[in-house]
Amino acid sequence: MFTQFDFSAGKMTPAADRKAKMLVYTKPEKNELLELEEKYGISPHRLASALDPDELGRMERAADHWAFIVKNPCNFTSEDELLFKVSSMGLFLFKDLLIVVSPEEFDLSDYRQLREIKNVRDAFLAILYGGTMHFISHIKVITMLSDSLEKRINTSMENHYLLNMFTLEKSLVFFVNGIGSNQVVIEAIKENAKKIRFTAGQMDTLNEIIIENRQSEKQAEIYSGILTGLMDARGSVVNNNLSMLIKKLTIVSVVFMPLNILAGMGGMSEFSGWTKGIPWWLSFSGFLALLGLIGMLTYWFMLKSTSGSKTAKDKHS
């Protein structure tokens, strides 16, 4: 998909002709890639790097433009099953033209980080800033999902929520790598700011991007470390919940074990012979009362034995 933009009144606006200042190629087709090679002199290797999700971020100098490969978080969908992916993006900065090549759709309508976008360098910084804020917003979502999953794991006896937590941990690893790769590119941009012809105001914006990117990288590292450190503990919680359920089922089965034997005796003809001369309703009522008493005594004995063993362990510890 191809879209083009111009800059007017400090905003990025759609343009109708090929003389636009900013060209955006989203999921470019072969003919569009060929046009970028022939008309704008962008090498096939750099275009392939811009569309490769595993490509590391970098900055390169060409004859008439600068080439930047940066990382950007993919838009999350329900099909991803809590996996937040990271893709690459190519930014090719000419003197009066910015070309964006991306394998994923991204929103260009909201750039509150910059008050005004007057030229291609402002637009370039706006995209960098937007990518950094996109990472930060996704980290917040991952944190909320992690808190929600943690509450469910505390009462769960299945591995489903635990596997979801592993997926979030994997996502944070992707984010740490992607943000760290962007930090290398942004630092390189700062070192070459004069060659790229950034103004003093644009340098201030670049410094803000560096600060925000470092903070997002630190957040991703902290949350990734927390998830990794607590995974064993959360797995133990699931195992403990399952053990408690098995314990309760064992108590129930032990309570009904002697009752089954007595109930079998009550169903035999010998029981009628033993209670001969006693009205049936009285004999069977007494038999049921005896079963209930034995069940209650067995249940009480099991609870007392369990609580006694727990008390002994507490004293020992």
Side-chain angles (χ1 to χ4, degrees):
M1 184 176 66
F2 171 75
T3 53
Q4 49 193 351
F5 298 88
D6 211 334
F7 314 112
S8 61
K11 295 182 180 180
M12 191 183 303
T13 57
D17 53 39
R18 288 280 178 160
K19 295 181 180 180
K21 300 296 183 181
M22 177 174 169
L23 308 180
V24 179
Y25 292 83
T26 305
K27 299 179 181 179
E29 299 178 355
K30 290 184 178 180
N31 61 324
E32 293 175 331
L33 293 174
L34 185 60
E35 178 185 6
L36 290 171
E37 295 175 23
E38 296 178 350
K39 185 175 180 179
Y40 299 102
I42 302 175
S43 69
H45 174 68
R46 293 192 179 107
L47 291 174
S49 299
L51 301 175
D52 185 0
D54 299 323
E55 190 71 24
L56 293 176
R58 65 178 186 273
M59 182 184 77
E60 296 178 350
R61 182 75 167 96
D64 58 346
H65 66 272
W66 293 86
F68 306 91
I69 306 299
V70 296
K71 310 300 289 186
N72 209 37
C74 299
N75 294 322
F76 178 74
T77 62
S78 58
E79 298 177 356
D80 294 330
E81 297 183 353
L82 300 185
L83 180 62
F84 291 76
K85 301 177 182 178
V86 177
S87 65
S88 299
M89 176 187 294
L91 301 174
F92 304 95
L93 182 62
F94 294 77
K95 182 179 179 181
D96 295 312
L97 177 66
L98 175 63
I99 297 178
V100 182
V101 179
S102 173
E104 299 285 337
E105 294 184 2
F106 62 100
D107 188 11
L108 287 167
S109 62
D110 184 13
Y111 285 108
R112 289 172 292 181
Q113 292 81 18
L114 294 184
R115 295 181 179 179
E116 291 185 333
I117 301 177
K118 298 179 180 180
N119 52 51
V120 294
R121 284 160 184 78
D122 287 338
F124 171 77
L125 293 174
I127 293 175
L128 287 182
Y129 214 151
T132 300
M133 301 309 295
H134 199 180
F135 271 118
I136 293 176
S137 63
H138 276 198
I139 291 173
K140 292 180 180 179
V141 173
I142 290 176
T143 305
M144 294 173 59
L145 290 174
S146 174
D147 293 340
S148 176
L149 288 174
E150 186 175 357
K151 294 178 181 178
R152 297 182 182 183
I153 286 175
N154 291 336
T155 58
S156 174
M157 288 167 287
E158 299 178 356
N159 290 329
H160 175 70
Y161 299 122
L162 198 61
L163 293 176
N164 287 339
M165 195 70 77
F166 275 118
T167 303
L168 291 181
E169 181 185 354
K170 184 178 179 181
S171 301
L172 285 175
V173 172
F174 290 157
F175 276 28
V176 170
N177 292 334
I179 297 172
S181 181
N182 282 352
Q183 187 64 29
V184 174
V185 177
I186 297 171
E187 294 287 352
I189 293 173
K190 184 178 181 179
E191 293 178 1
N192 295 272
K194 291 183 179 180
K195 297 179 182 179
I196 303 175
R197 299 178 182 177
F198 281 151
T199 64
Q202 291 167 346
M203 282 300 302
D204 291 339
T205 302
L206 183 61
N207 289 328
E208 291 179 10
I209 296 174
I210 292 175
I211 294 173
E212 293 289 350
N213 198 77
R214 285 176 178 170
Q215 289 179 344
S216 63
E217 183 179 17
K218 195 65 177 179
Q219 282 183 347
E221 289 177 350
I222 292 173
Y223 291 140
S224 178
I226 291 174
L227 284 183
T228 302
L230 295 180
M231 284 307 298
D232 293 338
R234 287 166 178 150
S236 299
V237 169
V238 175
N239 292 333
N240 184 64
N241 292 339
L242 184 59
S243 299
M244 293 298 295
L245 176 63
I246 294 175
K247 174 184 174 182
K248 293 178 181 178
L249 292 176
T250 302
I251 292 176
V252 172
S253 63
V254 170
V255 168
F256 281 95
M257 189 180 298
L259 300 184
N260 290 332
I261 298 174
L262 295 176
M265 293 176 59
M268 294 188 299
S269 58
E270 285 79 0
F271 180 76
S272 300
W274 297 343
T275 58
K276 189 175 182 180
I278 302 176
W280 67 269
W281 58 269
L282 185 60
S283 61
F284 277 95
S285 297
F287 184 72
L288 291 176
L290 178 63
L291 291 181
L293 178 62
I294 293 175
M296 292 175 62
L297 291 175
T298 305
Y299 182 70
W300 173 82
F301 177 75
M302 292 294 297
L303 290 181
K304 187 174 181 180
S305 299
T306 304
S307 61
S309 61
K310 183 184 295 186
T311 304
K313 289 182 179 179
D314 295 339
K315 290 181 179 180
H316 179 71
S317 59

